[in-house]
Amino acid sequence: MSNWHFTPDPRLPFLNFVLPFLTVFLLMLLEFTPSTPLSGIMPWFAMPAVFYWGLYRPQHFPLWLAFLMGLVLDIISGPVLGLYAIMYVLIREVGKAQRRYLVMRNFIMLWLTFSGLLAGLLLIHTFFMTTVGFNYDSIVPLKYVQTVAVFPLLYYVLARGHHYLVYEGWI
């Protein structure tokens, strides 16, 4: 049996759902921090977390939660209601569908998969925004590059925290 199968600790079962929700929610809030002058071009911090939890713990980050988190982000920021909800659902589902191939692969393969998936989501984002009547936003490709660049750091933090909690018996 590989290391990523485990039996949840019955003492704290709520952590199984709270940890993915909390990390995605806090990263969503980080996207809107007004403390920097570059807050308009902050990366999509929550996208790597949605991909991570969809890949490693899809049972603890269900589809409805991904949709709900995306809908909250749409209400906070999006001019197109449902766009981020669709993006979160797609990134979570692709992570879940590809988990058989990606879980035991090296990090570069994960990074390339995430980069390609995010490029596809960028096309969907651009299509819906221009269909509704918004002009093409030149900041979106910069957000893509920033998100791909920040992926290794976010992946490392999520993986270390996840590993600690799993092997220390918290979840």
Side-chain angles (χ1 to χ4, degrees):
M1 182 182 276
S2 64
N3 290 336
W4 52 278
H5 292 287
F6 73 100
T7 305
D9 187 7
R11 296 175 294 174
L12 300 168
F14 66 92
L15 279 180
N16 293 332
F17 294 99
V18 170
L19 183 66
F21 167 77
L22 200 57
T23 55
V24 172
F25 184 72
L26 290 176
L27 288 170
M28 276 176 31
L29 290 179
L30 186 62
E31 293 177 21
F32 297 103
T33 54
S35 61
T36 65
L38 299 176
S39 63
I41 52 173
M42 295 289 276
W44 290 307
F45 286 116
M47 292 281 186
V50 171
F51 180 73
Y52 180 86
W53 293 116
L55 184 64
Y56 291 104
R57 294 280 181 229
Q59 70 274 21
H60 299 304
F61 192 68
L63 188 62
W64 62 266
L65 185 58
F67 181 80
L68 186 66
M69 302 280 299
L71 201 57
V72 167
L73 187 60
D74 281 327
I75 291 169
I76 292 172
S77 72
V80 179
L81 190 61
L83 178 60
Y84 285 108
I86 291 170
M87 290 171 69
Y88 278 17
V89 164
L90 286 175
I91 202 165
R92 185 241 181 228
E93 284 299 301
V94 169
K96 181 183 174 188
Q98 297 300 316
R99 92 182 271 201
R100 178 177 180 180
Y101 306 108
L102 293 175
V103 166
M104 300 310 255
R105 302 286 189 249
N106 62 8
F107 175 75
I108 299 297
M109 190 66 178
L110 280 169
W111 198 6
L112 289 174
T113 302
F114 176 75
S115 301
L117 177 60
L118 194 60
L121 292 175
L122 176 76
L123 292 174
I124 292 171
H125 181 273
T126 304
F127 172 75
F128 278 110
M129 293 297 281
T130 55
T131 302
V132 171
F134 288 92
N135 291 332
Y136 176 73
D137 193 4
S138 60
I139 292 176
V140 174
L142 181 59
K143 289 178 81 115
Y144 168 79
V145 170
Q146 288 177 334
T147 305
V148 169
V150 80
F151 179 79
L153 176 66
L154 289 175
Y155 181 86
Y156 178 78
V157 169
L158 288 169
R160 296 302 341 146
H162 182 213
H163 184 278
Y164 174 76
L165 291 173
V166 166
Y167 292 107
E168 292 296 319
W170 289 93
I171 62 171

